Amino acid sequence: GISALKLADEGEALRCFEQYLQLEPADGEIFLEKGRILMKMGRFKEALQAFQKVIEIDPKVEAAHFNRGLILERRGMDEDAVAAFNRALELNDDNREAWAHKEAILTRLGRTADLIPCYDKALEVNPQDHKTHFKRAQALRKLGRFDDATPNLERACEILPTYEDAWVERGRNYLSLGKPHLAVEAFERVLKINPKNIQALRFLGDAYFDKTDFERASTCYQSVVEQGA
């Protein structure tokens, strides 16, 4: 079976594995290879059964849980897929693919609080990833944790000083914290990067309004109207 697999003859390999498993039905490694072949062939229901058999033989086979998660995700069974990826991560916390798939599913499900550990792990692997700092801050802001979001937004802007979205979100976060003077600085930074950023201009008006600088706030709002936003 392995020889056929190396020759890329998946059909022949599958036949060999099935014959072998009739004689050795407790060989989890062969069930795992069988499941992988079935996945490649698009026979996902049978592949799922093969991976489940691996888990019954040995619950500590990370690859079985991970591949099971992939199939469940593909079939739209998101909660079950998350559970499978969680089990894979319990066995190997460094499985970056499992973290990535888990993050994608949790984002779809809107499970914001559960996303934080995904971002923490991603930043552990690559602390210079400005996008992950930004996404972590967005999640924290959705949870109303504005103080906790601040370091990630500052870091995202530090890593990539021209990151407009991060500067806008940073300004909005300062507004949420009741710090309009810092929000003004953030939005003005955005407009230096891109003078046509309407979102920053509108929020700059809000920041000036919160500072009771109504004249400047009015000027910002008028500019937004003039630019057709």
Side-chain angles (χ1 to χ4, degrees), residues 134 153 157-158 160-172 183 185-187 189-190 193:
F134 178 68
L153 290 168
C157 293
E158 180 182 338
L160 184 62
T162 58
Y163 194 178
E164 290 181 50
D165 288 344
W167 280 107
V168 170
E169 197 75 0
R170 183 172 173 176
R172 293 182 66 197
E185 293 177 6
F187 296 132
R189 180 62 179 266
V190 178
I193 299 168

Side-chain angles (χ1 to χ4, degrees), residues 3-27:
S3 298
L5 186 58
K6 288 179 179 178
L7 293 172
D9 188 346
E10 295 169 350
E12 179 62 25
L14 183 59
R15 285 190 289 273
C16 291
F17 288 153
E18 288 174 342
Q19 290 176 2
Y20 173 81
L21 289 169
Q22 289 179 358
L23 301 174
E24 298 289 341
D27 193 325

Side-chain angles (χ1 to χ4, degrees), residues 35-44 47 51 67 70-71:
R36 286 171 171 158
I37 291 176
L38 289 166
M39 277 186 73
K40 290 181 180 179
M41 297 174 74
R43 294 163 61 177
F44 299 111
F51 294 132
N67 285 310
L70 292 177
I71 295 174

Side-chain angles (χ1 to χ4, degrees), residues 62-73:
E62 172 204 350
H65 293 285
F66 175 70
N67 285 310
R68 184 170 177 271
L70 292 177
I71 295 174
L72 292 169
E73 180 183 9

Side-chain angles (χ1 to χ4, degrees), residues 84-126:
F85 290 131
N86 281 340
R87 183 63 182 127
L89 290 167
E90 287 174 10
L91 296 166
N92 177 15
D93 188 52
D94 291 325
N95 187 327
R96 296 175 67 176
E97 287 189 77
W99 280 111
H101 282 277
K102 179 180 175 180
E103 178 191 340
I105 295 172
L106 293 175
T107 300
R108 284 199 302 274
L109 295 174
R111 287 170 52 180
T112 305
D114 293 331
L115 280 166
I116 304 299
C118 297
Y119 300 140
D120 289 341
K121 184 62 181 181
L123 290 171
E124 179 183 317
V125 174
N126 181 12

